[in-house]
Amino acid sequence: VQKKKRKLPEVFTVEEVFRIIHSADNIKHKTILMLTYSSGLRVGELVNLRVSDIARDSMRLKVRDAKGGRDRYTLLSNICLTQLEQYWKTYRPYNWLFCGRMPGTHMSIRAVQHAYQRAKNKAGITKQCGIHTLRHSFATHMIETGSGIFQLQKFLGHRHLNTTLVYVHLN
């Protein structure tokens, strides 16, 4: 059986990430993009965040029922916490961090993808890549700034180190 060829994931520069985040239409979308990047979240993990998942005291974010059905903690940056506080003052979420259109529901994955595409286009970035590229960029930038591979594996929620080692090759 021939092994599947693995292409290296596309990544944004730090400057491109900054442009995308600051091109968001509103505070909710800006918070979503900032959190996706700075915590290395998958879009499905982002929409499932609850207000109670923000651990201010330890500057961590609880990711429930992630890929593989496991919970994990990831980073919560100071900049992102400040952004979350602004977002909270504006929207006052009480259960889901990012509420959907229907009361009691969370925002849809499609709505998040749409917000990302709008921001990416507004930022003038023409790379053909989805919101998951923010997660790849987070991982690559963590490695570039000297973060340990085992620590990164924990933040990303990878079961196997080989999955995380892809980001070392990108660097």
Side-chain angles (χ1 to χ4, degrees):
V1 181
Q2 192 174 5
K3 263 184 111 174
K4 192 176 124 196
K5 283 194 179 86
R6 290 195 69 167
K7 282 185 8 203
L8 292 177
E10 182 90 56
V11 292
F12 293 123
T13 65
V14 173
E15 191 261 341
E16 286 171 328
V17 170
F18 186 84
R19 279 181 20 222
I20 291 168
I21 290 168
H22 292 283
S23 296
D25 286 338
N26 56 49
I27 192 168
K28 183 178 188 175
H29 294 167
K30 184 178 179 180
T31 306
I32 283 168
L33 297 174
M34 195 181 275
L35 202 55
T36 302
Y37 169 72
S38 71
S39 298
L41 298 173
R42 297 177 180 97
V43 70
E45 296 167 348
L46 175 97
V47 298
N48 282 307
L49 287 174
R50 296 176 184 271
V51 175
S52 59
D53 294 333
I54 301 164
R56 301 172 68 111
D57 51 333
S58 59
M59 292 304 286
R60 296 191 313 175
L61 195 65
K62 184 172 186 168
V63 181
R64 297 167 190 268
D65 202 23
K67 194 172 173 183
R70 294 187 318 275
D71 294 354
R72 72 172 193 278
Y73 281 96
T74 188
L75 294 174
L76 179 61
S77 70
N78 284 319
I79 295 168
C80 213
L81 181 62
T82 304
Q83 180 67 30
L84 278 165
E85 286 165 353
Q86 285 181 324
Y87 166 75
W88 192 85
K89 283 176 189 153
T90 307
Y91 289 89
R92 301 281 174 174
Y94 62 90
N95 181 14
W96 299 110
L97 187 56
F98 302 108
C99 301
R101 286 180 183 247
M102 301 299 287
T105 65
H106 61 68
M107 197 170 175
S108 72
I109 287 174
R110 188 71 203 95
V112 172
Q113 290 168 333
H114 182 71
Y116 159 79
Q117 285 298 338
R118 279 184 57 90
K120 185 176 75 100
N121 294 341
K122 248 168 93 177
I125 294 167
T126 55
K127 287 180 185 172
Q128 293 301 306
C129 43
I131 191 167
H132 201 72
T133 306
L134 290 175
R135 179 174 156 91
H136 293 314
S137 302
F138 160 81
T140 304
H141 300 157
M142 287 286 289
I143 293 293
E144 285 171 352
T145 55
S147 178
I149 193 79
F150 295 108
Q151 188 181 31
L152 182 60
Q153 179 186 14
K154 262 187 15 213
F155 291 148
L156 293 173
H158 289 159
R159 188 173 287 168
H160 303 289
L161 187 61
N162 277 349
T163 313
T164 315
L165 285 171
V166 167
Y167 300 107
V168 175
H169 298 302
L170 284 176
N171 194 11

